[in-house]
Amino acid sequence: MAEHQERCTFVEADLENDISAFAEPSSMDCIVSGYAIHHLSHDRKKKLYAEIFNTLKPGGVFVNVEHTASATAKLEQLYDVLFVDHLAAYNNRPRAEVKEEYENRPDKADNILENVYAQVQWLRQIGFDHADCYFKWMELAVFGGVKPR
């Protein structure tokens, strides 16, 4: 976004707080979040999505790149296996070592995952148009919606 930085505002904030503290209602064209919202309780996620909706201008877009819950426990197990395989291959490290680190990572308890389809439904209930999951691979998803004009 460097070539567009005069048109962009990057905000770092504690998502536990209402976003109206740093953004006026109907003031944003686009809000993007990446791998952050999954640390919030489900109740806070829903409230944040409503705050995002209120902050967007009509026609504004919300995109969330996120870690989400698998649809089933079996799929979660498959994701874990595939992700560990990927990390081991990408980092050229022994799989057993990577698996041990992955299973005992300190941030694991901080992940409060919800199924992407439930979250898309929340967006629709809030009023987003075109709310959908635009890309998904196992527990990684890109989803969002558009505030109606």
Side-chain angles (χ1 to χ4, degrees):
M1 296 301 296
E3 66 185 74
H4 304 288
Q5 66 187 21
E6 73 282 349
R7 296 174 28 205
C8 296
T9 302
F10 294 88
V11 177
E12 288 186 41
D14 182 345
L15 296 178
E16 289 289 352
N17 299 322
D18 190 316
I19 65 173
S20 65
F22 56 83
E24 296 292 322
S26 299
S27 65
M28 300 284 184
D29 294 308
C30 180
I31 296 175
V32 178
S33 178
Y35 301 111
I37 295 173
H38 72 277
H39 296 294
L40 303 173
S41 70
H42 298 330
D43 185 54
R44 179 63 191 132
K45 286 179 183 85
K46 291 178 194 178
K47 288 177 183 171
L48 177 62
Y49 293 155
E51 292 166 13
I52 288 169
F53 183 85
N54 291 333
T55 302
L56 288 170
K57 293 178 182 178
V61 177
F62 169 56
V63 178
N64 192 14
V65 180
E66 196 58 276
H67 186 180
T68 64
S70 291
T72 67
K74 201 72 159 162
L75 285 173
E76 182 178 352
Q77 291 171 347
L78 178 60
Y79 169 80
D80 289 342
V81 167
L82 293 172
F83 194 66
V84 167
D85 288 348
H86 167 75
L87 289 174
Y90 183 79
N91 294 298
N92 196 28
R93 294 180 53 214
R95 188 185 190 289
E97 183 181 294
V98 171
K99 182 177 186 254
E100 174 72 21
E101 287 177 7
Y102 178 74
E103 290 176 350
N104 297 300
R105 64 194 185 278
D107 69 332
K108 189 174 184 176
D110 296 334
N111 294 336
I112 306 170
L113 306 183
E114 177 58 274
N115 184 295
V116 67
Y117 302 108
Q119 294 184 72
V120 168
Q121 187 60 35
W122 297 343
L123 297 179
R124 291 176 182 152
Q125 290 168 350
I126 290 165
F128 280 95
D129 281 345
H130 313 294
D132 205 351
C133 178
Y134 308 120
F135 173 83
K136 184 174 183 302
W137 184 81
M138 306 299 285
E139 292 184 357
L140 306 177
V142 177
F143 62 98
V146 178
K147 185 173 182 176
R149 292 195 179 273

